[in-house]
Structures are given as structure tokens and as C-alpha cells.
Amino acid sequence: MTTLLIIIVIALLGITFWQLSKIVKLSKPADSNDTEIADNKDNKTQAKLMLVFTVFLYGLMFYSFWEYGKLLLPESASEHGHTFDQLMLISMGLLIFVQMITQFLLHWFAYKYHGKKGRKALFYADNDKLEFIWTIIPVIALAGLIIYGLFSWNDIMNLEETDDTLVIEIYAYQFDWRARYAGDDKTLGKANVRFIEGVNQLGLDESDPYTEDDIIVSELHLPKGKPVIFKFRSQDVLHSAYFPHFRAQMNVVPGMITQFGFTPTLTTAEMRETDHMIDKVHNINEIRQENSIELEAKGDMPLEEYEFDYFMLCNKICGASHYNMQMKIIVEEEEDFDAWLSEQQTFQELTAKK
Amino acid sequence: MSVAIQHNESGNAHEEHHEHKQTFIEKYIFSYDHKMISKQYLITGLIMGVIGITMSVLFRIQLAWPGESFWIFDALLGKFAKNGVMDPSMYLALVTIHGTIMVFFVLTAGLSGTFSNLLIPLQIGARDMASGFLNMVSYWLFFISCTIMLSSLFIESGPASAGWTVYPPLSALPQAIGGSGMGMTLWLISMAFFIASQIIAGLNYIVTVLNLRTKGMSMTRLPLTVWALFVTAIIGLVSFPVLLSAALLLIMDRSFGTSFFLSDIYIQGEVLAHQGGSPVLFEHLFWFLGHPEVYIVILPAMGLVSEIMATNARKPIFGYRAMIASILAIAFLSTIVWGHHMFVSGMNPFLGSVFTFTTLLIAIPSAVKAFNWITTLWKGNLQMNPAMLFSIGFVSTFITGGLTGIILGDSTLDINVHDTYFVVAHFHLVMGISAIYGLLAGVYHWFPKMFGRMMNKNLGYVHFWITAIGAYGVFFPMHFVGLAGLPRRYYSNTAFPYFDDLTDVNVLITLFTILAASVQVVFLFNFFYSIFYGKKATQNPWNSTTLEWTTPVKHLHGNWPGELPTVYRWSYDYSKMNKDETDYILAGQDFVPQNVPIQDNEEETMH
């Protein structure tokens, strides 16, 4: 694949340089009557090139959808994500349709009405009816999208905390994440950066009894089917907690607590078993094997075999290692989750050690 | 030219009036003449453009072949690329300065600065700007600003690297990233000069359009270029002061210990004293300019394209009044949509709903404009000059890029594509590539007016087609990288094996980048060569109706020898037939310049 692409582009580059070599020739018009204004011949040639370009453009679009469509994110692993995917599909469908038609008209007209000796352009300055039609059609289409979008937005952002909700604090700092679970009392203890000291890396307020059973971990575990609300806190600069597979994202802002919530619907194991993911992981491992051969030839370590895991990444520029600020997420059945959580060290246990 | 009223005989009253010889400095450096200032803006803008585009090539090479060593990094980046491997903080610095240079220095000053200065006086029939002195001051403030920005590339701690949006706290704390030290200070000072330059220039443009129109040039007879440049100046005047306030508050947070944007920060083992500020406030202030800014960039391009398209299609622009109405609607809406950059910033979700509503509304005037351009081509007699090709290219990329705005403007959909490469693809097509096409179209079209010579058309064709292929080749596949979930501003995605299958696309994009960037050399050659050795231009090479083509080829101080022209009609009387439909209004000539009185056998239109 890559080789083919490289060949194509090298060919294009070759054409460029070939054209460049003609610069001197081209820049001195052979015919001294040449005015540097497009004449009949130019109009014809350029119109033909316009057709060639149209073929290129549509070819590129179809190729991209065909070849790169596979790269897109898999089905959503969260409940609200299905609404998101649905709305995305409708919007994309609409705009691909508009794109195909308008680009065709634009390029076709540019070809069809290219200048010719003796051709008269039509003096056509206004048509209220036409203009009304193409004002009202976008109005209707957009009204539909706006209403659909706003209802979904309200559903997604309107977080209701019930007894069943799991509240987790996500804590960001240059360049890593921590997660804090509330523990048995189901309440996150107070915290502020001014309390950061020694092992108390998240600045929990030790005088607040609610902090005692809080659990701080570096790998996020989530129970399947249970609504989760995340409370985000940053210790230094802006970060953004981006969960691409769950269609979730919220900025993490120093000095304030932001929130976002979703209900995971697919465990890590289930996601690994989807056809999309099997293909994708297979493909990735092939690429990694190829790269490993190169690396080994240089005497470096080969790449590890890849297995899919959910992740959260930082999506707001936060410093030199921004590109490697991630946290692994494991979605599991509720009993596995409970078992895992009960094994973790509480804040009290952590501080008692010192 | 049967009726066109032109005074191109030499030695008339006006010229004699200004007989004194100008010194080199008066003529080329501290010039008060709007035509010279426009050339200064253009050439400065082009130089900045070369720097900005070179930077993009460098970081695209890094993205395609992450962590590999290249001699070009070693040569250009020095200690920021040890052994030819780009440093991650240098990567961030490059994207930051690339963004800043392209948005502000090339597409704001280079585009609107060049063409506002050139076209406003010439197309409204004025001898110069309302204030030649302020106009000169504005250019030189811009020049100082460029110099400071470029000097920041050479300092020890590196240039600003917090992204072109310079969100604090990252941009406020040198402890967080090296570039937020001296580099950021220089960035802020440079922007303060830039904003001053823009405000002075904008006031001048507005006053000139309102007060100095020649006799008969009513607002509804103005060419769309002037409308677009005029409205651009108004948006700039409304929004740039807000950026200045944001920059000033940031300077205070950085240097004087205030807490406008900072609160509860623990960094490098130390709690900072700042308390009570909010980075979200900065985001509001920044985008209050930042969003109108993209219209400041695109509106002039729209104006230029409308004019060039009508001229080369030999047809009036379709829906002149609707075009003006949509410029005004876009301008108004552009100031109340900034929040769509902040859907997931932590601001109240209700605000998100409001901004979704206003943002999607802006699609309506944009759609009207696109349809009107397409209809302008319909049944035309299209003269395929390079400027026309770039105008068609503009409409194409504006549609492709604009459509994805419907995804990003929808708060729900923004959640998962926010800050990914989908955004990068969207805005580069809709305001980056489109605005550059507008700029290039303008340069090809008005080159004869600026320099009295023609650019080579064959080189223009080579330049256009390869650029068009390159631009789509870069930005169309990029949408898919974003939809795959890859964040922007990542030095490399090797930390995520999940993204390993995006390598092919990244390589392809980089190859197209190199292709598109290298063909700009053809343009630069053509531009500078033609200034000195191009074919001599005739007075009205494109058979255009607007007033700038009634001035003599040789530049005069005061533009017109003798009296200013009087205007009798709008600027789009192309291919208009006489009452009996036997011939064009002026027999054998398919255009009627604005300074030609209404003829006997002509049906009067409302303009």
C-alpha cells in the first residue's frame, strides 16, 4: 500500500520537476503577440483539465471512503454513543449528498461553459424564486439537525446522580492521569492542590473523613451497564479527557471541577471480540511485525504484539509529552469490578504507610 | 472602446501639481501611497507565508516518519533537533508559530491588508486612503510585529509553543513548557503591535469607504470586493480590541502576579499563589476575536472571488443583493458563535445549546453564497485565466470544508471530534486553503494593476493544478484520521499502538504536502520574475468594469489624472444586451465600465 502511494506521489513530483524544467521556456512566450490572457486554446485546454481534476477529486473521495472508512472508530461502547453515532450518520449522509451534487455542478459548469469565440454569456443577475428556494432548503435541513442535536445534547449533558451512579474523579497532571473512587461512603473527600505532600499526590484533605476510604488508582476500571459520572480536576494546566470509544470528552481545568458521564455497554472482552476489532488488531499486528523486522535489523527491540484495550487520552495541548498522556480503561462485568475495587488500597492505608 | 471615458493622456493638471521628485525612502519605504503600501503588505505577507508553509512541511515530515533523523531538521532547527531528530517541544513550537503566522500575518495582513489598500481607493474612485499617514503607520506596526515574531524563533528557550490559541495556564507558566518563557513574551508583544496595526488600518478602511466614494458610487453600486473588505474591517474593529484585552490580562498574569486566568496550580513541586482566576475566561475572550477572525480571513477572499468570477465569466455576479445580505449576515453571526470552540471546555451546557443554534444558522448565508457562485458560472463564457481557476478552486474547497462545519458546530457531534484531525482538516480547507486561493486569485488578477506587467499564464496553470491536487490530497484523507480518533498536536502517535494503522495515511498526506508546498516555488518565481520582466500590461487586460482599470498603467499619486471618474452604474454590466436584443449595449464590447453613462437603447436596472 505505502509503496504504491509513494510511487504515485513520486510520479507526481517527477511531473512537477519536469514542468519546472520548462519554466525558462514557458516564461518566455514563443509568440510575441501572446498577451498572457487566456485565449481560445487556453480555455479549451483548461476546461479539459477541469474534467481531469473532477475525476481526480471524485476518485480521491471514493478511495478515501473505501480505504480509510475502515479506520474509523468502532461502534460506540457507551449508551449515549448510539445517539451520537446515529446523528453523525444522518449529518454525514446529508453533507456527502450535498458535496457530491454541488461539486459536480461547479466543475461541470466550469467545463461546459468554458470560453469560446462567439459565445455570449447570459446576462442573468437575479432570480428571487431560485434564491428563496436555496435559502429555505438549508433552513429546513438545518432546523432538523439543530433540533435533533439539541435534544441529544441535553440528554447527554444533563447528568442525574442517583444511588446507582458511580462517581469517579479523574485527576490530570503533566503528563499522566489518576482515578479516584469514592469507596464505601460513596462520597469523594475534599481536595485541593494546596494539600499535596508526599504520598498525598492528589491533595486530599486529610481532615475530611470522607477521604479515608477513597481509592486512588492509575488504571480506570468501569462496571458494564452502570452509569458513571466523572468529576475532572487538573493540578497544573488545561488537559482534556478524551474517551474516543465512548464518544465522551471533557476539558480538565485547573481551578474548577468539570464533569461528564456515560454508561459503558461493552466490556473490554466483548469489544475485542467484535469483527471490526478482530480485523483491526490483526492488521495492526501485521504492521507491527513488519516494523519489528526493520527494528531488529537495526539491533533494536522488536515491538510487542498488540491487544486492544480502551484508553483515555489527553486532547488539549499540555506540554512536551502531551502525545503520551494516556490511561488504560478496563470495562468489566459488575462483579469483576467489585472484586477488583475491594483489592485496592484506600487512602487511609496509603497514608498510614509513611 | 467606443465610449469609455478615459484620461490617459500624459501631462495634465493633476500630475503637474505633484511634480516634486520623491526620494527613495519616501517612495518605497515610508510611503503614504496606498498602492505602494499594498505592495509592501503583499510582499511581507508572502515572505511570512514561505516561513509558515516551510514549518508545516517540517512537522508533516515528523508526523509521517516519527522520531527519525533528517538532515533538514538538523540544518534548520539546530539544537532543537539533536542528531536531526525533532524535539517534541520544537514540534509544538512549529505548529504554534505556523498557526500564528498563517492566520494573522499571511491571511489577515497579507490578504486583507494588500487588497483593502489596493482596491478600496481604486474601486470607489478615491485619490488615496482617508489618512495616508495612518496607513503608513499601520504597515510599519505590522512590520515591527513580524520582526518580533520572527526574532522569537532564535531565542534560547524556544518560541511560544502553547498552540496558536495560547490557552493559559500552559502559556502563562514557563515551568510548564520552555516556550512559555521569553518566547511567549515576544509572542504577546508582537500580537499587541499587530492588533494596533489592524485597528488603525480598519478605521482607515471604514472611513474611506464611507466618505470618499466618488460621485454616483452609491453603496449598492460598490463592487462586492469593497463590500467584503469594508465589512471585514468592521468585524476586525469589533473583535481585535477584545484579543488585546485578553493579551494584556495574560501579560499581567505572567509578569505581575495577578490571577485572571490562573487558580489552584501545583507545578514542579510548588503551589503557586494564584487563586480565583479561570482559563475558561481566557477562552471566551480569545474566541470572541478568534472566531470572527476566521471571517476576517475568508470574507476578503469571498469578495475577491466574486469580482474575479463575474469578470471572467463575462456575467454579472448572480444575486448581488443576496451576496451583500449574506456578507452582512455572516459578519453579524460571526460575532455570536465563538462558544462553539468551547463545547467541552467546562462551560455551562446550556450555553452550548445557544452556540449550536447560532453556529448552524451561519451555514445559511454561506450556502446562499455558494449557490450564487455556482449560478454565476452557469451559461457564462468562462475565461480560464489563472485567477479564474483559483476562484473556482476557492468555491470547491469552501464547500468541502464548510460542510464539515455542520458536524463541528453541532455540540453533540463536537464531543467526539473536538481537537482531532477532523477539525484540522475542516478549518484548513474552509479558511486556510480557501483564503489562500482567494489571495492567489487576487494576485494573478490585480498583478497588472500593481506592477504594470502580466504574470506568466502557463506557470500560473501549472501552479494552480498541482496546488489543487496537493491541497485536496492533504486535507481530504485527513478527515478520516480525525474520525479515527487521533488528536491534533501530537508529536507522534507511536505511544498508541491502536493508531498504528494510520501511518499510511500520514505518509500520503505528507507527500502531498511536499508536492503542494514545492509548487509554490513556481508561483514565487513567476511573481518576482514578472515584476521585472513580465509582459507589459494594457490598461484593462481582463475587460473589467470596475474603476481601477480606468487609471493609467503607470502609477500616479492620486490615481486619476484630472477629474475623478463619475459612476453611472453598478460594476456588473457584463454581456448586457440593448433593448432590442441585437447587440451588447456598447456595440461589440461585452462589458460596460462603471463610468459610462446609461445609454439610449439600454434598459435601466435598479442599480
Side-chain angles (χ1 to χ4, degrees), chain A residues 141-283:
Chain A
L142 288 168
L145 287 181
I146 290 175
I147 291 169
Y148 194 160
L150 289 184
F151 274 107
S152 322
W153 173 251
N154 284 338
D155 286 348
I156 295 169
M157 300 308 281
N158 192 6
L159 302 173
E160 270 174 49
E161 224 174 294
T162 62
D163 287 348
D164 200 33
T165 318
L166 180 65
V167 178
I168 303 173
E169 178 182 81
I170 301 285
Y171 185 83
Y173 61 93
Q174 282 182 328
F175 299 95
D176 210 349
W177 302 94
R178 290 288 178 268
R180 176 158 68 113
Y181 293 80
D184 297 331
D185 59 18
K186 294 198 167 180
T187 309
L188 288 165
K190 285 185 192 135
N192 185 286
V193 287
R194 286 173 175 75
F195 296 117
I196 295 176
E197 205 184 3
V199 291
N200 185 6
Q201 288 178 347
L202 269 56
L204 268 53
D205 180 357
E206 288 176 48
S207 65
D208 179 6
Y210 285 121
T211 56
E212 286 173 9
D213 62 348
D214 285 2
I215 294 163
I216 298 164
V217 291
S218 56
E219 189 177 274
L220 181 64
H221 283 242
L222 300 173
K224 178 186 168 183
K226 203 166 171 174
V228 188
I229 292 182
F230 297 99
K231 304 275 181 186
F232 300 99
R233 201 154 63 85
S234 164
Q235 103 177 5
D236 38 38
V237 298
L238 285 174
H239 300 275
S240 186
Y242 179 34
F243 309 73
H245 301 96
F246 302 93
R247 317 293 188 252
Q249 173 160 218
M250 184 50 67
N251 285 5
V252 186
V253 185
M256 71 189 265
I257 293 173
T258 54
Q259 58 173 11
F260 200 96
F262 60 80
T263 311
T265 53
L266 284 175
T267 64
T268 302
E270 283 166 342
M271 183 56 105
R272 283 177 186 164
E273 290 307 308
T274 58
D275 292 343
H276 174 94
M277 203 48 81
I278 292 172
D279 285 351
K280 187 178 177 87
V281 170
H282 178 74
N283 182 20

Side-chain angles (χ1 to χ4, degrees), chain B residues 164-449:
Chain B
W164 79 280
T165 56
V166 297
Y167 284 176
L170 186 60
S171 62
L173 307 172
Q175 304 97 305
I177 192 167
S180 292
M182 188 62 178
M184 191 63 211
T185 306
L186 291 174
W187 192 97
L188 287 166
I189 295 172
S190 164
M191 285 314 295
F193 276 103
F194 184 85
I195 294 165
S197 148
Q198 285 304 304
I199 292 172
I200 292 173
L203 274 173
N204 216 349
Y205 304 152
I206 294 171
V207 173
T208 309
V209 173
L210 290 179
N211 286 333
L212 295 184
R213 278 170 289 131
T214 187
K215 196 171 164 228
M217 182 64 95
S218 62
M219 290 303 272
T220 49
R221 280 179 182 167
L222 285 176
L224 286 172
T225 27
V226 177
W227 263 106
L229 295 167
F230 170 62
V231 173
T232 302
I234 296 176
I235 315 177
L237 215 50
V238 170
S239 53
F240 266 114
V242 181
L243 181 66
L244 185 62
S245 71
L248 288 179
L249 297 185
L250 186 53
I251 289 173
M252 287 197 228
D253 271 10
R254 287 164 50 82
S255 307
F256 306 112
T258 57
S259 307
F260 294 106
F261 307 130
L262 307 178
S263 185
D264 293 339
I265 291 169
Y266 177 93
I267 195 160
Q268 306 241 317
E270 189 188 358
V271 177
L272 303 185
H274 300 283
Q275 182 66 45
S278 169
V280 178
L281 170 64
F282 180 86
E283 295 177 37
H284 280 296
L285 292 174
F286 181 86
W287 287 113
F288 192 91
L289 160 92
H291 197 79
E293 171 63 29
V294 308
Y295 292 93
I296 291 174
V297 163
I298 202 69
L299 279 176
M302 287 176 166
L304 300 178
V305 162
S306 302
E307 176 67 22
I308 293 167
M309 211 171 231
T311 305
N312 284 292
R314 315 308 300 159
K315 270 186 74 185
I317 191 83
F318 183 77
Y320 174 78
R321 276 161 196 270
M323 289 304 237
I324 295 174
S326 54
I327 289 177
L328 293 171
I330 289 175
F332 171 71
L333 289 171
S334 78
T335 59
I336 53 166
V337 297
W338 76 89
H340 66 222
H341 298 270
M342 302 169 56
F343 287 139
V344 294
S345 67
M347 72 174 181
N348 189 314
F350 174 71
L351 266 178
S353 315
V354 177
F355 283 117
T356 298
F357 180 69
T358 53
T359 302
L360 293 192
L361 282 187
I362 221 168
I364 297 164
S366 310
V368 168
K369 288 192 91 76
F371 288 130
N372 284 0
W373 283 315
I374 294 176
T375 315
T376 303
L377 297 184
W378 181 69
K379 294 207 169 174
N381 181 19
L382 313 183
Q383 302 304 307
M384 300 295 216
N385 288 301
M388 179 63 163
L389 293 176
F390 274 106
S391 303
I392 296 170
F394 167 93
V395 179
S396 176
T397 52
F398 181 71
I399 293 174
T400 311
L403 282 170
T404 48
I406 293 174
I407 306 277
L408 291 161
D410 192 323
S411 49
T412 307
L413 297 178
D414 183 66
I415 294 171
N416 219 47
V417 286
H418 183 84
D419 266 344
T420 65
Y421 272 94
F422 190 81
V423 181
V424 181
H426 157 76
F427 74 73
H428 273 96
L429 276 176
V430 77
M431 62 157 296
I433 297 298
S434 298
I436 285 192
Y437 281 4
L439 173 71
L440 292 170
V443 171
Y444 279 105
H445 192 78
W446 279 285
F447 192 88
K449 191 77 266 168

